[in-house]
Amino acid sequence: MIIQNIKKIVNSWFYALNSNMYGMQNLAADANREYAQGEYFEQLARQHHQELLQHSRLTSTPSDLSSHDNRNAMWSFLSAALRGHRDAQYKLGISYLNGTLGLDKNYTHAEEWLKKAAKQGHHEAQITLEKAYSQLVFS
């Protein structure tokens, strides 16, 4: 009877461990998917901006689709960043630092996201932080 109880306990631990690992894998897969979607919308925004520049030469009232694409890219990057995706965290940090993707410049948010990416070993985030600190953008 004791052996059966021990087996039940061990089996429940393995089930819990496998469930947690499966959840972690889903979280990483979701973050990767969100990041790829963000990159797609960022590329689309660039393309629409170029088309806008071309059209503005030909017409007087072009519609700017790039703002919608920037917004979608930002939300996709945010979703991935909140799931721990370091490249998405870096993108958000850079976007806040430079005021891109429809975001206003915000050095506090830029520093926060760049630090998160740097803590996960994102080399460019580390360099960007060092550069910003040396230029006294961040205190």
Side-chain angles (χ1 to χ4, degrees):
M1 180 148 158
I2 293 175
I3 293 175
Q4 290 174 348
N5 286 339
I6 291 173
K7 285 182 180 179
K8 286 181 183 178
I9 292 170
V10 170
N11 285 337
S12 68
W13 284 346
F14 282 128
Y15 176 77
L17 180 63
N18 286 337
S19 295
N20 286 342
M21 292 302 287
Y22 181 72
M24 297 285 275
Q25 290 169 348
N26 280 345
L27 192 63
D30 288 345
N32 286 333
R33 190 173 29 261
E34 292 289 340
Y35 182 75
Q37 188 174 5
E39 285 189 319
Y40 167 76
F41 281 119
E42 189 178 31
Q43 177 67 29
L44 203 57
R46 280 191 218 110
Q47 180 182 344
H48 284 146
H49 184 70
Q50 289 300 319
E51 290 172 3
L52 175 70
L53 293 176
Q54 294 287 343
H55 273 270
S56 65
R57 295 179 193 145
L58 303 174
T59 64
S60 59
T61 57
S63 62
D64 185 8
L65 298 175
S66 64
S67 63
H68 296 288
D69 297 325
N70 278 328
R71 182 197 62 223
N72 289 336
M74 186 276 302
W75 282 111
S76 295
F77 288 139
L78 177 62
S79 180
L82 290 172
R83 288 181 169 98
H85 195 284
R86 69 183 190 172
D87 292 331
Q89 292 168 342
Y90 173 72
K91 282 270 194 188
L92 282 177
I94 291 296
S95 296
Y96 275 117
L97 186 63
N98 299 321
T100 57
L101 290 182
L103 298 171
D104 293 332
K105 283 186 181 184
N106 186 317
Y107 296 135
T108 303
H109 291 315
E111 181 181 24
E112 175 187 343
W113 286 113
L114 289 170
K115 278 183 176 179
K116 287 180 181 191
K119 283 182 183 176
Q120 293 191 63
H122 195 285
H123 184 68
E124 292 175 49
Q126 293 169 344
I127 291 171
T128 303
L129 278 170
E130 290 171 9
K131 195 177 197 181
Y133 286 131
S134 70
Q135 295 175 354
L136 298 176
V137 171
F138 301 145
S139 53

